[in-house]
């Protein structure tokens, strides 16, 4: 890539190496050999002292506007983000994601402060520096990790790592006797802000652990940790173990109650089914009974038919004599009637 060997700028304030105007200075063909952004995530990000960047091309100064337009492939925008990164969480990851995606072609360097500096200026950490370094190496947005990063960024540090911009949230960070350790970075036009993720921070996580200390201590005693490893006194150890036994007993009672409720529920369901079936059968039985023995039932009709046949069978037939007498009386009566 052709670059200008001087820091001359055009009238628009854009370095002549990136301006459309032909430069008046002598150009020298020097290729950038800085490390490129990671294209694969099958290995952790390297440490800065392992990359051994010996790029001989001048590191021309960029403006934020130029960086956002995009730079040549062999000249990624080198963005730096630093922090403690204790108990690495989603808030850290989101901040690094923002830093990585600030510009189209960016190389993200992440500085992690050592235990000595952190304990001196901020306080004790949960994870030691080696654990914090390793956590950053396995974040997908990180291209390079700088161990033992300085608390305040110096011109020498920025020059050594060819840093173009520094990414951090815009809240003034007062520390080490300064109202804002990034003030000089902002004044130099090298600061790009990121947004904090609300609701998550290392302090919040530690607060939860302290608040629920008894729960975590009891859980880890159950898992086999000793009272000495947990820094638990003899009395508290016995109290925790007794409470664990009480909780186990409560759990057993709860399980028995749940099983009993389940059994009762099954009995109730079966009883309901039996009652429902009995009601259906009883209605069917009553219906059949009424059809047979009701007022208009089949039994009554059958009984009436049988009664009628029995009466007919029991009633005597008229004798021939009686029929003749009645016939003679009829004729006699007709003879005596006047014509």
């Amino acid at each position: 890539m052709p670059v200008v060997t001087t820091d001359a700028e055009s009238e628009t304030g854009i370095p002549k190496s990136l301006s459309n105007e032909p430069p008046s200075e002598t150009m020298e063909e020097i290729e950038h050999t800085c490390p490129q952004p990671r294209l694969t995530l099958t290995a952790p990000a390297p440490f800065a002292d392992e990359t051994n960047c010996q790029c001989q091309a001048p590191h021309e100064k960029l403006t934020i506007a130029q960086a956002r337009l995009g730079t040549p492939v062999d000249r990624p925008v080198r963005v730096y983000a630093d922090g403690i990164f204790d108990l690495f969480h989603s808030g850290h990851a989101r901040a690094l994601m923002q830093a990585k995606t600030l510009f189209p072609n960016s190389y993200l360097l992440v500085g992690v402060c050592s235990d000595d500096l952190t304990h001196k200026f901020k306080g004790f950490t949960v994870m030691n520096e080696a654990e914090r370094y390793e956590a950053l190496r396995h974040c997908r947005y990180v291209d390079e990790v700088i161990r033992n990063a300085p608390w305040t960024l110096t011109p020498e540090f920025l020059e050594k790592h060819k840093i173009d911009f520094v990414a951090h949230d815009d809240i003034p960070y007062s520390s080490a006797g300064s109202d804002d350790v990034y003030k000089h970075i902002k004044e130099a036009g090298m600061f790009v802000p990121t947004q904090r993720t609300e609701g998550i921070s290392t302090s919040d996580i530690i607060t939860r652990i302290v608040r629920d200390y008894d729960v975590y201590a009891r859980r880890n005693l159950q898992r086999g940790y000793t009272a000495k490893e947990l820094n638990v006194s003899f009395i508290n150890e016995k109290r925790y173990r007794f409470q664990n036994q009480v909780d186990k007993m409560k759990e057993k009672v709860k399980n028995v109650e749940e099983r009993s409720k389940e059994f009762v529920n099954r009995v109730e369901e079966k009883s309901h089914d039996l009652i429902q079936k009995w009601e259906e059968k009883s209605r069917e039985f009553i219906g059949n009974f009424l059809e047979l023995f009701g007022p208009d039932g089949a039994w009554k009709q059958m009984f009436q038919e049988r009664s009628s046949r029995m009466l007919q069978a029991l009633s005597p037939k008229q004798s021939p004599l009686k029929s003749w007498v009645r016939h003679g009386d009829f004729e006699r009566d007709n003879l005596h009637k006047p014509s």
Side-chain angles (χ1 to χ4, degrees):
M1 170 187 173
V3 296
V4 179
T5 56
T6 65
D7 290 333
E9 295 185 351
S10 65
E11 294 179 358
T12 59
I14 301 175
K16 291 186 177 181
S17 59
L18 298 176
S19 174
N20 292 327
E21 300 177 4
S24 58
E25 288 82 358
T26 304
M27 302 283 292
E28 183 182 357
E29 293 287 342
I30 302 177
E31 295 292 335
H32 281 278
T33 58
C34 292
Q36 297 297 303
R38 287 200 298 163
L39 299 178
T40 177
L41 299 178
T42 57
F47 290 118
D49 51 3
E50 296 174 350
T51 60
N52 194 23
C53 177
Q54 299 295 331
C55 182
Q56 298 299 317
H59 195 73
E60 63 274 16
K61 184 176 177 59
L62 295 174
T63 66
I64 293 178
Q66 290 170 337
R68 285 176 176 164
L69 287 175
T71 57
V73 175
D74 64 338
R75 201 312 195 183
V77 181
R78 292 173 68 84
V79 180
Y80 176 79
D82 60 1
I84 310 304
F85 302 105
D86 193 20
L87 297 176
F88 189 81
H89 53 73
S90 61
H92 293 140
R94 289 178 65 87
L96 296 176
M97 177 187 70
Q98 294 177 61
K100 175 68 175 176
T101 57
L102 284 168
F103 308 111
N105 180 27
S106 62
Y107 184 90
L108 181 60
L109 302 94
V110 179
V112 185
C113 298
S114 66
D115 287 344
D116 290 340
L117 275 179
T118 304
H119 298 167
K120 178 181 179 181
F121 292 113
K122 190 167 185 178
F124 192 72
T125 57
V126 177
M127 300 168 65
N128 61 44
E129 60 185 49
E131 293 169 331
R132 293 185 286 114
Y133 297 153
E134 199 64 24
L136 264 298
R137 295 184 70 198
H138 291 84
C139 177
R140 63 185 302 176
Y141 309 112
V142 179
D143 293 304
E144 186 176 310
V145 175
I146 301 176
R147 292 179 284 196
N148 193 21
W151 198 261
T152 303
L153 301 178
T154 63
E156 293 77 17
F157 178 83
L158 297 174
E159 178 65 26
K160 175 183 177 181
H161 294 283
K162 301 180 183 295
I163 294 171
D164 293 307
F165 301 102
V166 176
H168 199 274
D169 64 77
D170 206 13
I171 302 173
Y173 193 86
S174 58
S175 181
S178 173
D179 293 335
D180 188 359
V181 296
Y182 298 104
K183 182 179 180 180
H184 63 294
I185 303 295
K186 294 176 181 177
E187 292 174 348
M190 298 176 61
F191 186 85
V192 282
T194 57
Q195 297 295 321
R196 293 178 65 89
T197 301
E198 297 297 331
I200 183 69
S201 69
T202 300
S203 298
D204 290 339
I205 295 174
I206 294 175
T207 299
R208 297 178 206 171
I209 296 173
V210 173
R211 181 191 62 198
D212 301 325
Y213 169 76
D214 287 354
V215 175
Y216 294 120
R218 286 167 48 196
R219 184 180 69 181
N220 285 308
L221 282 173
Q222 283 183 312
R223 291 179 173 179
Y225 287 90
T226 65
K228 184 177 180 181
E229 289 173 324
L230 297 173
N231 196 25
V232 172
S233 66
F234 176 80
I235 295 176
N236 282 336
E237 178 192 6
K238 299 304 178 185
R239 180 167 64 88
Y240 292 149
R241 294 192 184 280
F242 176 75
Q243 188 62 48
N244 286 337
Q245 294 299 324
V246 171
D247 289 346
K248 286 182 180 179
M249 185 60 67
K250 287 182 179 179
E251 189 67 24
K252 289 182 179 179
V253 172
K254 182 180 178 181
N255 291 336
V256 171
E257 289 179 350
E258 290 178 353
R259 287 197 294 269
S260 300
K261 289 180 180 179
E262 185 179 352
F263 174 75
V264 171
N265 290 334
R266 287 203 301 268
V267 171
E268 288 180 351
E269 289 177 0
K270 289 184 177 180
S271 300
H272 179 73
D273 292 340
L274 288 173
I275 292 172
Q276 187 175 3
K277 290 179 180 179
W278 182 84
E279 289 177 348
E280 292 174 356
K281 292 293 183 183
S282 63
R283 284 194 293 268
E284 183 180 352
F285 174 78
I286 292 172
N288 294 336
F289 181 85
L290 291 175
E291 288 181 2
L292 186 61
F293 298 102
D296 299 324
W299 178 261
K300 181 179 179 182
Q301 294 177 3
M302 182 178 66
F303 179 77
Q304 289 176 348
E305 292 176 358
R306 289 186 177 181
S307 297
S308 178
R309 287 197 296 270
M310 289 178 64
L311 289 173
Q312 292 177 1
L314 294 174
S315 297
K317 296 182 179 179
Q318 293 181 356
S319 62
L321 178 62
K322 185 175 181 180
S323 177
W324 178 81
V325 171
R326 287 180 179 177
H327 182 69
D329 291 340
F330 175 78
E331 290 181 350
R332 184 186 58 197
D333 292 339
N334 287 335
L335 288 176
H336 290 89
K337 282 184 180 181
S339 57

